[in-house]
């Protein structure tokens, strides 16, 4: 804008200078015209006087010749002398003889002809001087040959006067034309100033101030949005302080009970409940961190392949339990063409959908909540489409009403604001729909990319058939996919009665049953009782293994005898390894399968004593030999004197951190020992950074024993392949 103003300022001063030049030129011309008109009037006046002086000198000459009185003769001589002098001066001035500039026509009138006007005037003055000189008086007639001579002189003077008048008129006309030109130039300059300066400047200023108004409105909108977002964030954090205490209380409470419990089954149950509370706490912490990352613009959207059915099961299983606890009907419909694996941001996708679904359940006092999941294609892009319909209370995305500003409702408003931010950052959109016949609906469209299902080498166990009983469609499809990957046959049922019908026809067709705890018709415990009752009544010699699964298994309260009926009780999201172990327990062939066991010399580098003790315990339980180093410098010294198979390396440590220690191991010691990073920095960028620094694997905190086991198993697999290639 400053450059533009400078440009207009230059134009303005140029135009102003041009106008000033025109005004000065007009002033100078007006002054010149006035002076010229004065001069022309004086010339015309003098030319007219010449005629009068001509007659005066002729008449005085006649009087002088005829006068007898000496006194009067003296007076006439004096008068004629003065008149002749004046006449001669005027003649020289008018003819240009004294150097005055005269036109060519004037000069021709004075100096051309026979005799010329110059000659006639000279002759007249000579005769006058002859008369008035002493002794110049003569008797008889004067020297004039005839009286027609002065008449001819006067006529010639009349021609001069007329020519002077014409030239004066021509000068006036020329000045008038020039004045007209100056007037036109002045008008054009005004138009030019308007077109080049004021009009563009006005338009620019109008656009500028219009832009300022738009920016001001945008800033006001952004300010209101920021104030609202900050308020929601503050309310969310305030409510979160309470939400964090709930899982913390569950963790500490279960640990206190564990200290005083000796029953092994009870200890396992309390441990599971403590781990469930820990997972809830981790989810809350991740959500708080996401809020901070969104605010700072540092939230990274990851694109990784993931199991879609597993994600949906983890997302909606807790929602179905929440709906059941509130007495709200919950319906989940999955499109048949949903792919098994997709590429996208699994965690943030699940978080966004889960927040909206959670709010729908919480805000529905009575009625139902229905969720449809499908694939839609828009502009050559595949979208994971969620439609969440609530027939109860209306879903709100905006600012809550003052009379509804309960702490819970404030938290839900913040949840929805976070979901909107997450969906938009993933390149999707979230919108609210009004469906008169069904209620209020929220639509989420999240872009995804295709992904190939990982190839898994499994032993075919088609002689074993398991029944999957769950009224949540996504759980059925997820478990069916898992068992298929592991080589088992399975049959799926969304109604326990349908399963019992097939079971009664041939109980031995099933090796085991995987059932949900919370079924609409009756619970999984009741289903187990019906199975046992049928087997006992009809004396069927077939013991059917039953695995109980539920998103609320931590709330499962039953006697030891009832718990003992189940092969295992699993909490959703299902731990795949634990489920596989439970299925292995159902089949003798799996139990006798040969396992590939291995043992490593491990260097554990960790400065936190509690984390060190946890990792050391996990490694030793898996049969590995562990050497401990409290920081990177101690680790480097140990590596110089001892050979290790694997190094677990913490990142942030005193004296020498994990990255610096890795550089020394790789560059100075020139060792290729596998290094596994142990860190709480779990983003994709940080993970890639550690791998670029020379580390081989990455285990993020918090970790499970299976995470460590998988990393070591991968190292063992790579070493085995290398040995086979070298053999």
């Amino acid at each position: 804008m400053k450059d533009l103003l400078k440009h207009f300022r230059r134009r303005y001063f140029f135009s102003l200078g041009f106008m000033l030049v025109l005004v000065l030129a007009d002033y100078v011309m007006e002054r010149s015209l006035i002076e010229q008109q004065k001069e022309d009037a004086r010339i015309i006046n003098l030319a007219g006087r010449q005629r009068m002086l001509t007659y005066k000198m002729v008449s005085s000459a006649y009087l002088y010749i005829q006068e007898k009185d000496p006194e009067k003769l003296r007076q006439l001589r004096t008068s004629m002398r003065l008149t002749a002098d004046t006449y001669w001066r005027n003649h020289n001035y008018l003819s240009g003889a004294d150097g005055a500039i005269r036109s060519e026509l004037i000069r021709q009138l004075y100096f051309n002809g026979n005799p010329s006007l110059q000659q006639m005037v000279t002759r007249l003055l000579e005769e006058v001087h002859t008369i008035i000189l002493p002794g110049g008086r003569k008797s008889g007639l004067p020297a004039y040959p005839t009286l027609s001579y002065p008449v001819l002189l006067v006529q010639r003077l009349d021609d001069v006067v007329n020519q002077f008048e014409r030239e004066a008129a021509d000068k006036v006309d020329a000045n008038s034309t020039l004045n007209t030109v100056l007037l036109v130039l002045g008008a054009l300059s005004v138009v030019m100033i308007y077109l080049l300066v004021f009009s563009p400047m006005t338009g620019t200023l109008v656009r500028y101030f219009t832009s300022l108004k738009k920016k001001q409105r945008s800033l006001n909108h952004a300010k209101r949005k920021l104030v609202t977002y900050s308020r929601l964030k503050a309310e969310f954090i305030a409510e979160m302080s309470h939400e964090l205490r709930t899982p913390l209380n569950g963790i500490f409470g279960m640990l206190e009970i564990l200290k005083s419990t000796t029953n092994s089954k009870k200890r396992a149950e309390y441990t599971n409940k403590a781990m469930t509370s820990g997972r809830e706490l981790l989810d809350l912490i991740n959500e708080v961190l996401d809020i901070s990352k969104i605010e700072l613009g540092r939230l990274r959207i990851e694109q990784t392949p993931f199991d879609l059915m597993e994600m949906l099961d983890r997302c909606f299983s807790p929602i179905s339990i929440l709906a059941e606890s509130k007495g709200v009907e919950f319906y989940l419909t999955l499109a048949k063409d949903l792919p098994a694996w997709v590429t996208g941001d699994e965690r943030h996708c699940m978080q966004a959908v889960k927040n909206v679904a959670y709010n729908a359940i919480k805000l529905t006092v009575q009625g139902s909540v229905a969720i449809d999941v499908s694939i839609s294609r828009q502009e050559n892009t595949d979208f994971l489409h969620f439609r969440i319909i609530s027939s109860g209370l209306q879903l709100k995305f905006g600012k809550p009403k003052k009379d509804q500003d309960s702490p819970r409702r404030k938290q839900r408003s913040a949840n929805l604001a976070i979901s909107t931010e997450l969906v938009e950052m993933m390149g999707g959109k979230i919108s609210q729909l009004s469906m008169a016949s069904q209620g209020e609906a929220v639509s989420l469209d999240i872009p995804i990319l295709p992904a190939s299902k990982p190839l898994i080498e499994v032993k075919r166990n088609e002689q074993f058939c398991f029944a999957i009983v769950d009224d949540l469609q996504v759980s059925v499809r997820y478990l069916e996919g898992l068992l298929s990957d592991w080589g088992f046959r399975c049959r799926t049922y969304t109604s326990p009665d349908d399963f019992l019908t097939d079971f009664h026809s041939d109980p031995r067709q099933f090796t085991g049953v995987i059932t949900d705890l919370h079924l609409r018709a009756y619970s999984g415990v009741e289903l187990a009782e019906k199975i046992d009752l049928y087997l006992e009544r009809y004396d069927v010699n077939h013991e059917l293994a039953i695995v109980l699964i539920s998103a609320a298994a931590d709330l499962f309260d039953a006697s030891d005898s009832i718990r003992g009926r189940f092969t295992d009780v699993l909490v959703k999201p299902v731990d795949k390894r634990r489920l596989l172990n439970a299925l292995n327990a159902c089949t003798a062939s799996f139990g006798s399968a040969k396992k590939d066991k291995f043992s490593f010399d491990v260097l554990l580098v960790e400065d936190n004593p509690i984390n060190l003790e946890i990792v050391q315990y996990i490694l030793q339980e898996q049969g590995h030999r562990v050497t401990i180093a409290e920081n990177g410098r101690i680790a480097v010294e140990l590596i110089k004197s001892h050979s290790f198979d694997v190094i677990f390396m913490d990142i942030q440590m005193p004296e020498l951190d994990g990255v610096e220690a890795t550089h020394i191991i790789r560059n100075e010691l020139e060792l290729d020992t596998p290094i596994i990073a142990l860190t709480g920095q779990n983003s994709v960028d940080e993970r890639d950074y550690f791998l670029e620094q020379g580390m081989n694997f990455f285990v993020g905190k918090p970790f499970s024993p299976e995470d460590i086991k998988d990393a070591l198993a991968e190292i063992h697999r790579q070493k085995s392949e290398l040995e086979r290639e070298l053999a």
Side-chain angles (χ1 to χ4, degrees), residues 678-695:
L678 286 174
T679 178
Q681 302 172 5
N682 295 335
S683 71
V684 173
D685 289 340
E686 291 159 342
R687 187 178 310 169
D688 293 341
Y689 170 74
F690 296 135
L691 296 179
E692 290 173 359
Q693 301 307 306
M695 299 180 179

Side-chain angles (χ1 to χ4, degrees), residues 31 43 89 91 96 131 135 143 162 188 239 277 317 327 342 394 427 441 456 465 519 546 570 604 679 684 721:
R31 294 296 303 172
I43 290 173
R89 285 197 305 273
H91 172 76
I131 295 172
N162 292 334
L188 289 177
E239 179 65 20
S277 296
S317 292
V342 297
Q394 183 178 9
I456 303 175
C465 180
L519 301 171
I546 303 177
L570 305 180
L604 174 58
T679 178
V684 173
E721 289 182 356

Side-chain angles (χ1 to χ4, degrees), residues 108-259:
Q108 289 178 4
L109 288 174
Y110 271 100
F111 297 104
N112 291 350
N114 189 18
S116 66
L117 182 59
Q118 175 73 14
Q119 293 172 343
M120 295 172 69
V121 170
T122 302
R123 180 178 176 184
L124 175 63
L125 291 176
E126 287 177 349
E127 291 181 355
V128 170
H129 279 88
T130 300
I131 295 172
I132 64 176
L133 288 176
R137 181 179 182 186
K138 299 178 180 179
S139 63
L141 294 173
Y144 299 122
T146 62
L147 289 175
S148 61
Y149 181 79
V151 175
L152 180 61
L153 176 61
V154 170
Q155 290 176 350
R156 299 287 291 275
L157 288 174
D158 286 339
D159 293 338
V160 171
V161 172
N162 292 334
Q163 181 60 34
F164 275 123
E165 288 178 348
R166 284 193 295 272
E167 290 184 359
D170 291 340
K171 290 178 182 178
V172 171
D173 292 340
N175 283 321
S176 298
T177 302
L178 188 57
N179 282 334
T180 303
V181 171
L182 289 176
L183 181 62
V184 171
L185 288 176
L188 289 177
S189 65
V190 171
V191 174
M192 181 182 68
I193 292 173
Y194 174 76
L195 294 177
L196 297 180
V197 181
F198 291 107
S199 179
M201 185 180 293
T202 302
T204 301
L205 290 176
V206 169
R207 289 191 297 272
Y208 176 70
F209 285 112
T210 302
S211 175
L212 281 182
K213 288 182 180 179
K214 290 181 179 179
K215 289 181 179 179
Q216 185 65 37
R217 288 195 296 268
S218 177
L219 287 174
N220 291 336
H221 176 72
K223 180 181 178 182
R224 290 192 298 270
K225 186 177 180 180
L226 179 61
V227 170
T228 302
Y229 183 79
S230 299
R231 177 180 59 81
L232 290 174
K233 184 191 71 172
E235 293 169 353
F236 177 80
I237 297 299
E239 179 65 20
M240 192 60 68
S241 64
H242 166 74
E243 297 293 335
L244 290 172
R245 290 187 180 92
T246 301
L248 279 174
N249 183 68
I251 294 172
F252 292 134
M254 289 298 103
L255 292 177
E256 285 293 333
I257 296 174
L258 276 173
K259 288 169 58 178

Side-chain angles (χ1 to χ4, degrees), residues 437-574:
S437 60
Q438 302 179 51
E440 296 296 323
V442 176
S443 173
L444 296 92
D445 290 283
I446 301 173
I448 56 172
L449 297 172
S452 299
K453 184 176 181 180
L455 296 177
I456 303 175
E457 295 183 4
V458 296
K459 179 181 178 181
R460 303 308 299 176
N461 297 284
E462 296 182 354
Q463 69 272 30
F464 304 111
C465 180
F466 288 89
I468 300 173
V469 185
D470 197 322
D471 51 14
L472 192 63
Q473 185 184 10
V474 65
S475 297
V476 171
R477 290 180 63 170
Y478 172 54
L479 292 173
E480 182 182 12
L482 285 180
L483 268 65
S484 177
D485 290 341
W486 293 335
F488 295 105
R489 290 186 298 113
C490 60
R491 299 180 65 178
T492 60
Y493 302 91
T494 56
S495 168
D497 291 330
D498 293 342
F499 161 72
L500 288 176
T501 300
D502 285 353
F503 174 73
H504 292 164
S505 64
D506 183 9
R508 290 184 176 85
Q509 65 179 312
F510 298 108
T511 306
V513 178
I514 303 172
T515 180
D516 188 53
L517 172 62
H518 299 275
L519 301 171
R520 286 194 179 92
Y522 36 82
S523 70
V525 175
E526 292 173 326
L527 177 61
E529 291 174 350
K530 290 179 180 293
I531 291 172
D532 291 341
L533 181 62
Y534 180 84
L535 294 175
E536 181 180 355
R537 177 181 298 176
Y538 294 98
D539 194 21
V540 178
N541 186 19
H542 177 64
E543 184 175 351
L544 192 67
I546 303 177
V547 178
L548 188 66
I549 298 176
S550 176
D554 58 317
L555 304 176
F556 176 48
D557 189 14
S559 64
D560 290 345
S561 60
I562 295 178
R563 281 184 170 274
R565 173 65 185 87
F566 299 104
T567 304
D568 203 348
V569 178
L570 305 180
V571 181
K572 292 183 178 181
V574 175

Side-chain angles (χ1 to χ4, degrees), residues 264-275:
S264 60
K265 290 186 177 181
K266 286 290 185 180
R267 290 176 68 86
E269 176 186 345
Y270 297 147
T271 301
N272 286 336
K273 291 182 179 180
M275 292 181 67

Side-chain angles (χ1 to χ4, degrees), residues 26-81:
D26 185 65
Y27 173 76
V28 170
M29 291 188 63
E30 287 292 335
R31 294 296 303 172
S32 175
L33 179 62
I34 292 172
E35 294 298 327
Q36 185 64 46
Q37 286 177 342
K38 288 181 179 179
E39 179 67 14
D40 290 341
R42 178 168 174 266
I43 290 173
I44 294 170
N45 183 46
L46 289 176
R49 287 185 64 189
Q50 288 296 82
R51 293 180 299 179
M52 180 189 69
L53 292 175
T54 300
Y55 284 117
K56 182 178 180 181
M57 284 191 297
V58 172
S59 61
S60 296
Y62 276 104
L63 290 175
Y64 185 81
I65 294 171
Q66 297 173 4
E67 184 61 48
K68 305 296 183 181
D69 185 4
E71 182 61 27
K72 289 184 178 180
L73 289 174
R74 186 186 62 79
Q75 292 177 355
L76 285 172
R77 271 197 310 271
T78 302
S79 174
M80 289 177 65
R81 184 182 296 112

